[in-house]
Amino acid sequence: MAKITPAPGALFDGGNFRLYDNRIEINKYGLLGGLKGFGVVYYSDVAGVTVKGKYMTVKKAAMKNAILLQFKKKEQAQEALNIINANKA
């Protein structure tokens, strides 16, 4: 079985997620904890982003669910918000 690796060129790497110039890639894990694949949310599908401390909530358009991203420091969350705002068309 081939090893799953994230795409190169991430603007920000948060461990379980990465920010690129047009999308967010989130690791997906299987029942036993192994990496199963990646979930992708494009910035064009994002309806809103909220940052509170070390946590960022990304609300997707036309979906009731949201994605919660946790950072190690609140400055990293603010940096990620700046990346999303700068690259969202």
Side-chain angles (χ1 to χ4, degrees), residues 15-32:
N16 288 330
F17 61 91
R18 284 152 306 285
L19 298 173
Y20 293 90
D21 59 349
N22 65 340
R23 70 189 182 280
I24 302 172
E25 264 188 14
I26 305 163
N27 293 353
K28 287 188 174 183
Y29 295 98
L31 288 174
L32 300 176

Side-chain angles (χ1 to χ4, degrees), residues 19-87:
L19 298 173
Y20 293 90
D21 59 349
N22 65 340
R23 70 189 182 280
I24 302 172
E25 264 188 14
I26 305 163
N27 293 353
K28 287 188 174 183
Y29 295 98
L31 288 174
L32 300 176
L35 185 62
K36 187 169 81 169
F38 304 105
V40 177
V41 177
Y42 289 96
Y43 295 148
S44 59
D45 296 334
V46 172
V49 179
T50 307
V51 173
K52 289 187 180 180
K54 300 188 305 183
Y55 298 96
M56 175 185 284
T57 305
V58 179
K59 296 176 186 159
K60 298 188 286 183
M63 302 284 283
K64 292 187 178 183
N65 57 355
I67 300 167
L68 183 66
L69 303 175
Q70 181 179 359
F71 296 86
K72 292 181 180 176
K73 298 179 183 177
K74 61 182 176 180
E75 292 82 15
Q76 291 176 336
Q78 190 63 42
E79 178 186 347
L81 178 64
N82 293 338
I83 290 171
I84 292 172
N85 285 336
N87 293 304

